[in-house]
């Protein structure tokens, strides 16, 4: 069943669906009155709805029943990725959303090859947010992860105090055989607490960056004995979190 994130709460038990989602309902799915959809409001509450009216600009859906389930990760995991090349960040956002990420914070790392173009930033950010929205709909999420505009490394350090737990995925720890830091953090974290996970770009983080992150309270950890690509490491971490917080409990 198709799922749509509406921008306003229901009024008199009705939702109005506009713009891109309206186009998707009418032009792509070719729905008619009487068809059922799921609407998710800005508070993350889902409802089974029935399309009651379709005009030239909007679809109106009546709430049939409220859905009490939630598919969100018990902890709020934010992925901070050093800007990678090509469309790798889009892949991280799409698949990371499917795996339950709470948000995405790209940052400009010392070894980032890509240069952030401020002139194209608005369109780029809109595209990233659209990818997160569509992935959230597809995976039946109750919320859309927020995708931030890329930060400088110094700005990344400044937001660190906003999170209760902070991790660095660092390949040197894998080479040393470190195997407990990630599990220790997961063992400490409680429901609705926040975790910020930092991943380097293709060339990894520099020693200086790792030292600065540790001074800011980050814990350096390995993600198993293998060295993972920049686009694979966040997905490994989210999968490990799902196993720990959802499947083991």
């Amino acid at each position: 069943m198709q799922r749509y994130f509406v921008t306003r709460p229901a009024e008199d038990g009705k939702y109005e669906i506009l713009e891109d989602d309206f186009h998707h309902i009418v032009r792509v799915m070719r729905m008619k009155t009487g068809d059922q959809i799921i609407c998710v409001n800005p508070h993350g509450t889902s409802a089974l709805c029935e399309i009651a009216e379709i005009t030239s600009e909007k679809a109106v859906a009546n709430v049939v029943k409220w859905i009490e389930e939630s598919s969100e990760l018990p902890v709020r995991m934010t992925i901070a990725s050093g800007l990678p090349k090509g469309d790798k960040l889009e892949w991280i956002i799409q698949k990371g959303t499917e795996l339950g990420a709470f948000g995405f914070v790209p940052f400009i790392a010392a070894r980032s090859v890509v240069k952030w173009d401020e002139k194209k930033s608005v369109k780029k950010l809109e595209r990233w947010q659209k990818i997160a929205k569509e992935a959230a709909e597809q995976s039946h999420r109750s919320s859309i992860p927020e995708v931030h505009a890329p930060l400088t490394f110094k700005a990344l350090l400044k937001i660190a105090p906003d999170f209760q737990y902070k991790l660095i995925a660092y390949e040197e720890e894998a080479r040393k055989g470190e195997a407990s830091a990630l599990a220790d953090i997961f063992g400490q974290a409680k429901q609705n607490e926040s975790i910020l996970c930092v991943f380097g770009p293709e060339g990894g983080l520099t020693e200086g960056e790792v030292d600065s992150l540790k001074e800011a309270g980050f814990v350096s950890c390995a993600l198993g004995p293998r060295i993972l690509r920049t686009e694979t490491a966040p997905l490994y971490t989210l999968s490990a979190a799902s196993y720990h917080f959802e499947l083991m409990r």
Side-chain angles (χ1 to χ4, degrees):
M1 186 173 294
Q2 293 295 313
R3 173 174 294 240
Y4 298 96
F5 288 90
V6 294
T7 56
R8 290 181 293 185
E11 294 184 9
D12 299 323
K14 299 178 184 292
Y15 281 116
E16 289 188 353
I17 302 168
L18 309 166
E19 299 175 345
D20 289 347
D21 288 337
F22 167 70
H23 173 81
H24 188 267
I25 285 173
V26 176
R27 304 299 180 194
V28 179
M29 300 305 299
R30 298 189 180 278
M31 292 186 185
K32 298 178 175 62
T33 56
D35 287 343
Q36 292 188 332
I37 58 175
I38 293 175
C39 292
V40 185
N41 68 26
H43 303 296
T45 304
S46 303
L48 175 66
C49 299
E50 184 175 287
I51 297 175
E53 179 185 359
I54 296 176
T55 71
S56 60
E57 297 181 346
K58 66 182 179 182
V60 178
N62 294 334
V63 174
V64 176
K65 67 175 181 179
W66 297 101
I67 301 172
E68 300 299 329
E69 63 189 32
S70 174
S71 57
E72 298 302 303
L73 265 178
V75 292
R76 293 179 285 125
M77 294 194 65
T78 296
I79 303 300
S81 294
L83 275 177
K85 296 183 290 186
D87 60 358
K88 291 177 183 177
L89 185 59
E90 294 183 2
W91 172 269
I92 292 168
I93 292 169
Q94 183 187 63
K95 301 308 176 187
T97 297
E98 292 177 23
L99 289 167
F102 181 79
F104 299 92
V105 182
F107 69 96
I108 302 164
R111 291 175 177 160
S112 289
V113 175
V114 174
K115 303 302 178 186
W116 181 244
D117 188 345
E118 290 291 343
K119 294 179 182 179
K120 299 178 181 178
S121 61
V122 173
K123 287 188 176 180
K124 199 75 171 176
L125 194 56
E126 286 176 352
R127 174 169 172 76
W128 291 341
Q129 195 64 63
K130 184 178 180 181
I131 289 170
K133 176 179 179 292
E134 291 175 350
E137 290 170 343
Q138 183 275 324
S139 56
H140 284 208
R141 294 279 304 269
S142 300
S143 64
I144 305 171
E146 183 179 0
V147 184
H148 294 261
L151 302 178
T152 63
F153 183 73
K154 287 184 178 180
L156 176 67
L157 294 176
K158 287 181 180 179
I159 69 168
D162 298 337
F163 297 84
Q164 284 145 315
Y165 299 94
K166 297 172 277 289
L167 286 167
I168 319 164
Y170 190 38
E171 63 270 17
E172 292 302 323
E173 298 294 350
R175 293 191 178 100
K176 294 175 186 175
E178 191 283 317
S180 62
L182 183 65
D184 288 346
I185 292 294
F186 285 170
Q188 296 172 44
K190 297 179 177 59
Q191 186 166 344
N192 293 325
E193 290 190 321
S194 57
I195 303 175
L196 176 62
C197 305
V198 172
F199 304 87
E202 288 86 354
L205 298 166
T206 66
E207 288 187 16
E209 287 172 328
V210 172
D211 289 342
S212 296
L213 289 165
K214 287 181 177 179
E215 289 175 7
F218 284 78
V219 175
S220 181
C221 69
L223 304 179
R226 292 162 293 281
I227 306 302
L228 305 179
R229 291 177 182 268
T230 184
E231 68 271 29
T232 308
L235 308 186
Y236 175 101
T237 307
L238 288 164
S239 298
S242 175
Y243 178 79
H244 178 88
F245 292 104
E246 296 174 324
L247 299 186
M248 286 184 65
R249 296 187 178 182

